[in-house]
Amino acid sequence: MAPPTTLNLFEQQQSNRRKSRWLVALFLLFFLWLGLGGDLAVYLYTQDLVDPAGQALYRHRFPWAGTVLGLFALVLTFDVLRNGGKRVVKQVGANPLVYAKTDQERQLLNVVEEMSVASGLPMPSVYIVPDADPNAFVSGTKPGEAHLAVTSGLLELLNRDELQAVVAHEMGHVKNEDTKLMTLIAGLGGSILLIRDLMIRTTFHSGRLGGGRSGGSGRNGKGGNPLALVVLVVWLLSWILAPIIVRLMAMAVSRSREYFADAMAAQFTRNPAALAEALAKIEGHHAPTTSISQGIAHLCIVDPTGRLSNRKEGRLADLFATHPPMAIRVSRLRAMAFQSVSSA
């Protein structure tokens, strides 16, 4: 896969804005289906339901589930747009770095300030994640409200130039407006999974409570509406497959953007070799993450879950990997460094 260097910064930002709008629209539609699908199944099931005396029983007329989930999705979207960045750093247990107490912390703040100037962006809030796995990410939905987090393992592993290159990569995401899109996926996708788990537990609990009940209702001489069963199966599958659907959304937006952020980092630092060495060190470091979950892996400079699909190219990898193969990223950065030396 070729990096998206054929797009200039303005085109990349416009593309990200469009995709952010589409993502929100798809999320709202998916949420509506998760509610309305259940309403439709119950409506089809109850439309000809009668008791033994032939009297009509409950008819499900109003889409209560769809209405509730639709309103919840709207509120959730506004909340993620407003507070999504803060929630991500809180989720990983990151500690805000306001006043430096160690040489490493002073160096980090100095590097972030330098890269803010180089990128022409406001300085983000800085956080340290107490995790030995070397990694970094940036979250937030506005350039002026970005939250940059690095792990303690990253500070231990990299020298100043390499740390500067990693920070520049994350500032590149902010500049390209990738951060808003990826934060939306982390916040909205995580909410879908949370509601799915709550629904499964509620359904299981209700089934245990009502498992021994028997009723005398009938269907007015009919064997039931087969369409109700079809809708119910599709609806249940949507809930079951929600984690895969959320991951596919993350894959669709994060993989190619890493190439562009690498190129932006080389532009900000004038030192592509430093990022190449940083990525090579991070890739070769073996410390399983203790803080970063799969739901926000697409935000990181490298995938903390270590998926094998991240080491491959092709359509299958594009669907299931959060990041491009590290070997390709490193080789391209080293090629940039060679070209810079050759043209000097």
Side-chain angles (χ1 to χ4, degrees):
M1 176 194 295
T5 53
T6 54
L7 291 176
N8 61 35
L9 178 60
F10 177 76
E11 291 171 336
Q12 183 71 11
Q13 290 174 339
Q14 289 291 95
S15 174
N16 285 345
R17 291 189 191 109
R18 288 193 301 270
K19 289 182 178 180
S20 294
R21 290 192 291 267
W22 275 109
L23 175 65
V24 170
L26 288 173
F27 167 78
L28 292 174
L29 288 174
F30 184 57
F31 237 105
L32 281 174
W33 161 247
L34 291 178
L36 293 176
D39 284 319
L40 179 59
V42 176
Y43 166 76
L44 292 172
Y45 178 80
T46 61
Q47 65 179 344
D48 56 356
L49 197 63
V50 296
D51 64 14
Q55 298 296 318
L57 295 176
Y58 171 73
R59 299 286 193 270
H60 189 73
R61 303 294 187 187
F62 188 82
W64 294 107
T67 301
V68 171
L69 280 182
L71 291 174
F72 178 78
L74 285 173
V75 173
L76 183 62
T77 300
F78 284 115
D79 182 65
V80 171
L81 288 171
R82 185 184 179 96
N83 304 307
K86 294 179 182 178
R87 304 218 171 175
V88 170
V89 292
K90 184 177 181 180
Q91 180 181 338
V92 300
N95 301 312
L97 177 59
V98 181
Y99 301 105
K101 298 178 182 179
T102 66
D103 290 340
Q104 285 183 342
E105 292 176 353
R106 279 188 286 273
Q107 178 175 270
L108 174 60
L109 288 177
N110 288 339
V111 164
V112 174
E113 185 175 2
E114 290 171 0
M115 291 301 95
S116 297
V117 173
S119 62
L121 293 168
M123 184 165 173
S125 302
V126 182
Y127 297 80
I128 296 179
V129 183
D131 194 325
D133 181 42
N135 222 318
F137 66 86
V138 64
S139 64
T141 56
K142 297 179 181 178
E145 300 176 1
H147 303 270
L148 173 66
V150 302
T151 64
S152 55
L154 187 80
L155 296 180
E156 294 285 345
L157 182 66
L158 304 184
N159 61 36
R160 191 184 194 283
D161 287 345
E162 294 162 351
L163 179 63
Q164 183 187 65
V166 169
V167 171
H169 172 97
E170 299 306 327
M171 297 303 289
H173 278 308
V174 179
K175 189 82 172 180
N176 302 338
E177 298 191 13
D178 298 335
T179 310
K180 177 178 180 179
L181 191 57
M182 294 190 291
T183 301
L184 281 169
I185 288 176
L188 301 181
S191 300
I192 288 178
L193 302 187
L194 177 62
I195 293 175
R196 185 203 66 159
D197 291 342
L198 289 174
M199 189 206 72
I200 291 175
R201 292 175 186 175
T202 301
T203 302
F204 176 73
H205 183 66
S206 299
R208 291 183 61 185
L209 291 177
R213 296 179 184 176
S214 61
S217 60
R219 289 199 161 269
N220 200 20
K222 300 179 181 179
N225 191 336
L227 184 57
L229 180 61
V230 173
V231 172
L232 179 63
V233 170
V234 174
W235 180 69
L236 290 175
L237 282 176
S238 299
W239 280 103
I240 294 171
L241 297 177
I244 298 176
I245 295 172
V246 170
R247 183 155 186 93
L248 287 177
M249 286 193 296
M251 303 312 98
V253 302
S254 65
R255 188 174 169 90
S256 63
R257 282 165 176 70
E258 295 303 320
Y259 288 126
F260 203 87
D262 287 347
M264 294 296 291
Q267 177 184 339
F268 295 154
T269 63
R270 308 293 181 185
N271 187 6
L275 182 56
E277 294 308 311
L279 292 177
K281 281 186 178 181
I282 295 171
E283 178 73 358
H285 195 273
H286 301 287
T289 181
T290 58
S291 304
I292 302 174
S293 65
Q294 189 180 69
I296 62 173
H298 61 283
L299 286 166
C300 298
I301 191 169
V302 297
D303 186 353
T305 61
R307 293 176 62 86
L308 293 176
S309 53
N310 286 311
R311 302 176 186 175
K312 302 177 182 179
E313 282 285 286
R315 292 184 178 180
L316 184 62
D318 288 343
L319 283 176
F320 293 101
T322 58
H323 292 66
M326 187 63 74
I328 296 179
R329 293 175 67 185
V330 171
S331 65
R332 286 177 173 171
L333 287 163
R334 287 175 176 167
M336 291 180 197
F338 177 77
Q339 292 171 0
S340 299
V341 172
S342 300
S343 60

